[in-house]
Amino acid sequence: MKRREFIKSTGLSTITALIGSSVLLKACHTEEDMIGEPNWIVEGSFDRPLVFPPIVNSNVQLSAQSISGEMLNGKLTSLLSYRDGILGPVIRTTKGETVSVQLQNNLSEETNIHWHGLILPENMDGHPKDIAMAGASLNYELPVLQRAGTYWYHPHPHMATARQVFMGLAGMFIVNDEEETALNLPSGENEIPLIIQDKRFAGVSLDYSPTDDEIMTGYLGEQIFVNGVFAPYASVSKGWNRFRLLNGSTARVYNLALSNGMPFHVIGSDGGLLATPESTNSIMLAPGERADVLVDFSSQAMGQEIFLISNKFSKYNAQGRQAFNIIKFKVDREVSESFTLPTTLSNIETIPSSSSINTRMFDIAAMIGGMGGGMNRHSINGKTFEMERIDETVQAGTTEIWEFDNMMGDEIHPMHIHGVQFQVLERMGGRNALLPTEKGWKDTILLMPGEKVRLIMTFPEYTGTFVFHCHNLEHEDDGMMLNYKIV
Ligand code: C2O
Ligand code: CU
Ligand code: CU
């Protein structure tokens, strides 16, 4: 594949491709195939109220099934559901509790659930080998021993993860603990989960049908949904609000900002609270990533409308070349209790680089295969996923540095590691810096083309086989996933 550059000629919609020079491997696609036009976002009218998924606690029944639900005004859409509409309930628990989940698979295919960001015993993690056949069920007993944070859950069957997530199977998993409760953060109606996803329709059906090119770029929908509602609005208070942001899209990255330029105060990322709040005007959120943010609307007039938007971030990629609105906030209620942003949120012990006993390097830029007219496949270190092959072996309780290298790559790869939370030591190339959301515990890290990251992590005492993969779910299903074993 070639690095691509797009230029929009003034006043015309013609797109001219300039061909760059970096060639990793012989591509099977012609340049025309690869360029494609992005699926420009279609915005709605932001007049449908945001829906809040129901909250459940310790005993959760989920049945994966194919249903018809209303996703677009007045039309029934076929989709996959854990309950009665798109997206599952928010599972909310406290550190120290055990959550039981009964998954009944009423689909006509295999499924399972991975608890993204939770540190769990191997047989509870939702590895693609631990699957419920059609008609079968799986019981999960989840000992929640980790800190407060915004985690999530979704299916993980090999080569079908993207479609099942896209069709509606996913949900948020919130953990609270004493440290967080003591901060008295905005709660109740002032704590708003926002699960952002792009969707595509064919007639009345949700349409998941990536072409070969869309397996390269990722499948990009034209319509942006929040909590399963297309172009919604949410009522917010004239004061502090807490938004738990989750990018549940298969491939789309959002460059989040507020339309009036107000800052987000980032208080948490994938693995819970940061040490101190970080103010920023923009948050890049890749598939799988979460950001926990506070926004103070007290300077806004009653009735004021502000959009959560995604700004452009790329000139040549298949995405990021368009700014669009995601959800409209209406400031329409007073807050009763006052809140002051704490200066300290949490204690995060930095893992010293010197404690690492091993450095592993992963090349995520190269495509493999493509010989004899076959498709190029996404790979990690030149390998694609094999269910039974152990690719890396690590020692429980030890600390390692893992490097993901996309320096030579021309695609966006959010890399995710199961079974562990890591800290980001540095990002080289490209943006060359750590973002506010990257200063705490993470389980997913975004690599833009030309970037490399160094992560440090201490493996837990749960032995067994876990996966790590690209969270562009088209890439994951294409094989951009490996096994690692904790021994
Ligand atoms: Cu959310 Cu293995 O992924
Ligand atoms: Cu995960
Ligand atoms: Cu990828």
Side-chain angles (χ1 to χ4, degrees):
M1 297 197 340
K2 308 255 171 67
R3 188 173 288 278
R4 301 174 294 281
E5 186 85 19
F6 290 87
I7 290 184
K8 211 165 189 177
S9 48
T10 348
L12 292 170
S13 60
T14 331
I15 291 169
T16 315
L18 296 181
I19 296 156
S21 56
S22 87
V23 182
L24 279 168
L25 275 171
K26 186 169 67 74
C28 283
H29 301 271
T30 65
E31 265 317 300
E32 282 79 43
D33 280 345
M34 290 309 300
I35 293 157
E37 244 194 317
N39 298 294
W40 298 111
I41 300 281
V42 177
E43 280 187 19
S45 44
F46 299 94
D47 55 6
R48 305 187 77 190
L50 183 71
V51 165
F52 295 87
I55 296 175
V56 296
N57 303 112
S58 53
N59 227 302
V60 186
Q61 318 285 331
L62 299 176
S63 73
Q65 54 194 316
S66 176
I67 62 157
S68 288
E70 193 193 333
M71 288 188 70
L72 297 171
N73 265 330
K75 287 186 212 153
L76 281 182
T77 298
S78 50
L79 54 93
L80 300 184
S81 174
Y82 283 128
R83 292 162 67 95
D84 47 11
I86 188 173
L87 297 175
V90 172
I91 300 175
R92 186 163 194 144
T93 191
T94 308
K95 177 180 177 176
E97 298 285 307
T98 296
V99 177
S100 316
V101 182
Q102 284 81 49
L103 169 67
Q104 172 60 41
N105 180 6
N106 290 330
L107 303 173
S108 52
E109 58 181 312
E110 298 176 340
T111 194
N112 68 349
I113 300 181
H114 166 57
W115 312 93
H116 182 132
L118 296 185
I119 313 294
L120 297 167
E122 179 207 30
N123 59 349
M124 292 294 136
D125 183 63
H127 186 282
K129 68 181 161 41
D130 300 320
I131 212 92
M133 308 296 281
S137 61
L138 272 174
N139 291 329
Y140 293 98
E141 289 288 315
L142 313 174
V144 179
L145 302 174
Q146 68 206 84
R147 61 207 302 265
T150 306
Y151 306 98
W152 67 300
Y153 62 95
H154 61 78
H156 221 295
H158 187 38
M159 308 210 307
T161 295
R163 180 170 41 81
Q164 291 189 4
V165 172
F166 181 91
M167 293 299 287
L169 298 180
M172 195 177 269
F173 194 117
I174 295 175
V175 178
N176 296 116
D177 67 9
E178 281 173 19
E179 180 189 47
E180 185 206 25
T181 308
L183 293 172
N184 266 311
L185 298 167
S187 61
E189 59 178 359
N190 301 323
E191 177 186 349
I192 303 177
L194 298 174
I195 305 171
I196 307 171
Q197 298 179 300
D198 57 344
K199 300 292 178 199
R200 189 185 297 181
F201 292 83
V204 295
S205 278
L206 260 179
D207 174 30
Y208 188 75
S209 55
T211 61
D212 289 355
D213 287 350
E214 285 168 331
I215 291 172
M216 295 295 142
T217 58
Y219 195 63
L220 301 167
E222 298 84 358
Q223 284 165 285
I224 309 297
F225 282 69
V226 184
N227 297 356
V229 184
F230 174 50
Y233 73 88
S235 127
V236 295
S237 71
K238 187 175 151 49
W240 288 93
N241 296 263
R242 179 182 191 179
F243 299 107
R244 292 179 182 266
L245 301 161
L246 158 63
N247 182 351
S249 310
T250 66
R252 190 177 284 285
V253 175
Y254 302 92
N255 185 16
L256 300 172
L258 291 165
S259 55
N260 62 0
M262 275 177 52
F264 300 109
H265 302 274
V266 181
I267 56 167
S269 59
D270 300 345
L273 293 172
L274 304 182
T276 54
E278 298 269 342
S279 290
T280 179
N281 291 314
S282 73
I283 297 174
M284 283 284 268
L285 203 66
E289 284 188 304
R290 288 86 68 208
D292 197 344
V293 303
L294 299 179
V295 177
D296 180 11
F297 287 124
S298 58
S299 63
Q300 303 298 299
M302 264 303 179
Q304 188 68 43
E305 300 183 339
I306 301 122
F307 283 90
L308 177 68
I309 63 174
S310 179
N311 279 317
K312 296 181 192 180
F313 58 84
S314 174
K315 286 198 178 68
Y316 58 82
N317 210 279
Q319 59 169 313
R321 288 189 275 148
Q322 183 187 12
F324 51 87
N325 293 321
I326 295 172
I327 181 175
K328 181 164 79 179
F329 297 129
K330 278 190 200 174
V331 180
D332 66 359
R333 51 187 155 85
E334 298 285 350
V335 264
S336 32
E337 71 269 28
S338 69
F339 171 78
T340 321
L341 187 64
T343 48
T344 306
L345 297 166
S346 171
N347 175 37
I348 293 187
E349 270 176 51
T350 306
I351 311 177
S353 302
S354 57
S355 63
S356 166
I357 60 161
N358 193 12
T359 298
R360 294 174 204 253
M361 282 172 293
F362 299 100
D363 174 11
I364 58 167
M367 305 289 297
I368 61 159
M371 297 301 139
M375 270 271 292
N376 277 327
R377 308 262 318 266
H378 294 89
S379 67
I380 301 176
N381 277 353
K383 296 192 280 187
T384 56
F385 186 64
E386 289 277 351
M387 194 72 82
E388 307 294 338
R389 187 189 63 215
I390 303 299
D391 299 289
E392 306 292 332
T393 303
V394 305
Q395 309 285 323
T398 64
T399 299
E400 296 199 359
I401 291 173
W402 285 23
E403 298 184 355
F404 289 110
D405 187 350
N406 196 29
M407 285 286 194
M408 301 296 288
D410 60 4
E411 289 180 355
I412 297 172
H413 300 295
M415 298 304 297
H416 169 52
I417 311 176
H418 285 213
V420 74
Q421 290 278 338
F422 53 76
Q423 292 175 359
V424 191
L425 293 172
E426 62 176 325
R427 173 182 280 108
M428 292 156 272
R431 292 170 290 161
N432 224 319
L434 296 191
L435 310 184
T437 45
E438 293 169 343
K439 295 181 179 165
W441 291 101
K442 294 282 292 168
D443 55 52
T444 308
I445 181 82
L446 176 61
L447 287 110
M448 295 298 282
E451 292 182 353
K452 175 175 173 176
V453 292
R454 297 176 73 228
L455 315 174
I456 190 162
M457 66 206 83
T458 302
F459 296 99
E461 297 294 338
Y462 290 133
T463 55
T465 304
F466 298 85
V467 290
F468 61 105
H469 58 86
C470 181
H471 221 286
N472 174 316
L473 299 180
E474 282 74 39
H475 295 181
E476 176 192 335
D477 283 345
D478 191 37
M480 193 170 180
M481 172 158 74
L482 297 181
N483 279 314
Y484 80 98
K485 188 168 187 175
I486 306 182
V487 297

